[in-house]
Amino acid sequence: MRAAAMQPACPAEGGWLPNSDRVAECIHPADSSAVEESFPAIAPQLIVIGFMGGRVKGDNFIHKEAQLAKELQEAYPLKVDAAVFANHNAQDALKFVLRLLDSNQNGRLSADEKSSARIVIYGHSWGASEAIAFARQLNALGIPVLLTIQVDSIQKLNEDDTDIPPNVREAINFYQVEGLLHGRTQIEAMDPKKTTILGNFESSYKINPVSCTNYPWMARVFMKQHIEIENDPSVWGKIAALIQAKLN
């Protein structure tokens, strides 16, 4: 699902997508000077790729993954190309990214087109695992990634959601451990000289539960905390702020 481009619009007052001047109040990314040295003075559009958890389709707007892409596209239509995919549709995501990077539309990427890539990848549950697998695909193609974001990452079969590949400049992990289904508690850089781990941040919902009324009853009963973090406005506000920081 690609979020449809619209006229510039600020998020509604009280919405969960924070304004750019509040980015500094959230988690601070690593020093951006190294990033600036690697990219052109006029940066190309930011490509934001999201992966849904479970067997959820990319156009299911009950889920924050889909909502985030839509919010970003509406707020920054001239700066962002955002799309969300089911976690089993990574090849569609790859085609989407390669088409956007192919600036001269000649069907192949030059070294300059690859190095100019500005990509953020995020996901929840299986989608978080797929986010790292996708970053690894891009690494094999020599395409850099600015940031990966994992939310309660559940490792898929034959994937590794712990070790962040060296083409990723920054990575962050949000998780909870209270539920029967809970995410990866720690991620690590395969090459710490190339990748900065911004942190592994735990959330708890014992005292302050998050409403998940739009979800099926089975999910609310058996995956309560796992979907609470997926709906946590605090977590997704930080994620939005981190992505907004990459627009500057």
Side-chain angles (χ1 to χ4, degrees), residues 124-189:
H124 167 254
S125 190
W126 278 353
S129 178
E130 193 61 45
I132 304 309
F134 189 64
R136 197 166 281 113
Q137 274 190 291
L138 296 180
N139 183 54
L141 296 173
I143 299 173
V145 174
L146 289 177
L147 173 68
T148 59
I149 304 167
Q150 293 165 260
V151 181
D152 224 29
S153 188
I154 304 296
Q155 183 170 292
K156 293 175 66 179
L157 185 65
N158 298 322
E159 291 187 354
D160 175 7
D161 65 345
T162 301
D163 298 315
I164 308 302
N167 64 320
V168 176
R169 188 171 295 278
E170 296 175 337
I172 192 167
N173 180 44
F174 298 93
Y175 68 95
Q176 58 78 32
V177 296
E178 296 168 351
L180 292 174
L181 187 63
H182 54 267
R184 173 74 57 195
T185 60
Q186 185 168 340
I187 58 173
E188 299 177 352

